[in-house]
Amino acid sequence: MEHESKAVLESLGISTTGAGLAGSEEEAVKLFKSLGSAAVLKVLSPQVVHKSDAGGVVLNLGDEAAVRKAYREIVAAFRDKELAGVSVQKMAKPGLEVIVGVAQDATFGPMLMFGLGGVFVEALKDVSFRSIPVSESDAQSMIEEIKGYALLKGYRGSSADVAMLKQLLLKISDFVVKNPNVSEMDLNPVFLYPKGYTVVDARIILGEPRPVPPASGKLDLHDLFYPNSVAVIGASGTPGKLGWNVFSNLVSHKFLGKLYPINPKADEIQGIKAYPCISAVPEPVDVAIILVSAGVTPDVVEECCKCGVRYIVVESAGFAELGSEGKKIEVDMKAIADKYGVRLLGPNCSGIINTHCSMVQSIGLVDSLCKGNIGLVSQAGVCAAGMLWGLRHIMDFGIIATIGNKLDINETDMLETVSKDENINVICMYLESVKGGRRFIDVAKQVTLEKPVVVLKSGRTEAGKKAVASHTASLAGNDQIFSAAFRQSGIIRARDYEHMFNLTRAISKQPFPDREGVFIITYAGSLGVIAADAITDNGMRLSELEPPLKERLKKLLPDYVCGMNPVDYTFSQDADIVKRTIEIGVDSEDVGSFIVVLQAEILDSYVETLKSINYKGKPIIACVAGKEFALPDVIKMEKAGIPVFSTPEEVADALAIMYRHHERVKKAKAK
Ligand code: ADP
Ligand code: MG
């Protein structure tokens, strides 16, 4: 109840309007006199959640008679409820109303919420979330993130003490960390003042103590990605079978380690000696890929564990994804792997591709791959293989790790491992759920300081289906929580499938812009203007050349060209003039990045020239309208390291996201 909750808050050094408990009219009067100011009386009952709804809150009581009257009214209004008494408290002077709350999320545990209170929280749901514990910069960003932040900063004179508000958020976070039985909280409202704040109403809901998440870090996963030997249990010599696909992928990509096909009916498969069972293999096996049917998989897992296999990749399907029967098999399998301390990937996955050791474990046949710097972690196996067929022409993957049902190894383990790989510079993840919970945030927070992480999380429309006791919990929608967790971790959240690959492609090939100014070079005025609008819409701006550089550019421009940014060469644009213009931009302090709009029909003529420029760390993205009809040349340009997008909006969006990421990392590292 309010008076108990406020007492807890006061003990944490949080200022409230207090709540003296009056059991009689006389006590109420006595408490009122001790306040020395106008009072508020409120009903106190474990059965009343919304006190003001039924007339349980009477404000601004200035004299004894008013207090007596209010007391009698409240008691009368709630006579059929179990009454703990009536609270007598100070009438707070008006301030900016905000809400601070805590709710539980099934994935990330306790979440802190902040937002504008009163009608704003009801009507606009203008709130922000972060997973607890929150850091100082988390608290700052959750304050700045709400749309109503402008009101806090000061609007027609009123303003709020953001520093004290931040302290309040940190205190609540700390309180929840220290008290695992706190399940939900509502401080609604808190009044913010130019100096300080006061909590006007409070509610703390207790629940079962939260389980402590299991510690990670059993067996390190490095050798799962760089094994010396791989056995394929269920390898087949019959084309068309999955066991044939997986084994021929390993053979045709010339896996650098040893291969052991396991099949009781074959002496050799694709020219490599086969063994009837894993225990018949005379040498140690690092990784065993299992492709037998779900029912017999636990026995095979046990056999692998017994003969010293270190990592097991279960590519078979037919487990938890099919229902309770399959779920049971999974539970058995996990118990076996845990007993032997063996790490297990899958089931229902498509293994790992690591081009840096020429290892392709995919279920689908995979064509030749370059050794790239992108690490893709995908919950879905087929998605990873399907997109690879086309994308390998314009994106260079180093690692593709599929995680399937995440029985043991989950997305967080993968993120941690892939991020440590020296061959990988950017990580891209497709996720449907997060199993690692808070550890995911902690790991990602570290990783994103060194390597950018782009995530596409699907299932955005899934409704939160949970029993709700507090206001805060009713506002904690599933997708909003994911967005908050990603923001807290410094993850770049992709809007859709194409966005994920566009961003990853740009980041894998280009450096980050380190200033806002964008220099646009175009052959089509319209596309230049659209690009200029788009960069402004994305919070960037057109760069402005210094006067001497303007002079240099003027000498280049034909007489009919007047604009200096965008520079519109119309159809006189060729590779040489683009090169010389870019070199001017490279020399400018105000240029952070380049957008070049190129003609699809002569795209080929730009490739070598653009490749030869020294950009001195400034990124370039090409915009080619109709690029899908000039694919061979697009591929050449991409291979030259210059990403090609089809619309100016996509380019501007990517550059802005890259710039903001860079700024965030710089700020976080400076701390
Ligand atoms: P409820 O249980 O309905 O949320 P509250 O205690 O939040 O009850 O009171 C309802 C509203 O009354 C608050 O949103 C606030 O505007 C006002 N109010 C409540 N207590 C005070 C107080 N001590 N000083 C000033 N205004 C108050
Ligand atoms: Mg309230």
Side-chain angles (χ1 to χ4, degrees), residues 51 188-189 201:
K51 301 180 289 295
N188 183 24
D201 182 25

Side-chain angles (χ1 to χ4, degrees), residues 42 49 51-52 187-189 200-202:
K42 296 183 193 174
V49 178
K51 301 180 289 295
S52 50
L187 313 190
N188 183 24
V200 169
D201 182 25

Side-chain angles (χ1 to χ4, degrees), residues 521-525 527 567-571 573 597-601 606 623 625:
I521 302 158
T522 181
Y523 75 95
L527 293 172
V567 186
D568 173 13
Y569 284 114
T570 71
F571 279 92
Q573 177 173 285
V597 184
L598 304 174
Q599 304 99 300
E601 62 275 27
Y606 289 103
C623 169

Side-chain angles (χ1 to χ4, degrees), residues 2 17 40 42 49-53 57 59 89-92 97 188-189 191 200-201:
E2 186 194 5
T17 51
V40 173
K42 296 183 193 174
V49 178
H50 301 294
K51 301 180 289 295
S52 50
D53 280 359
V57 176
L59 300 173
Q89 59 191 263
K90 272 201 164 121
M91 173 79 192
E97 282 192 36
N188 183 24
F191 285 4
V200 169
D201 182 25

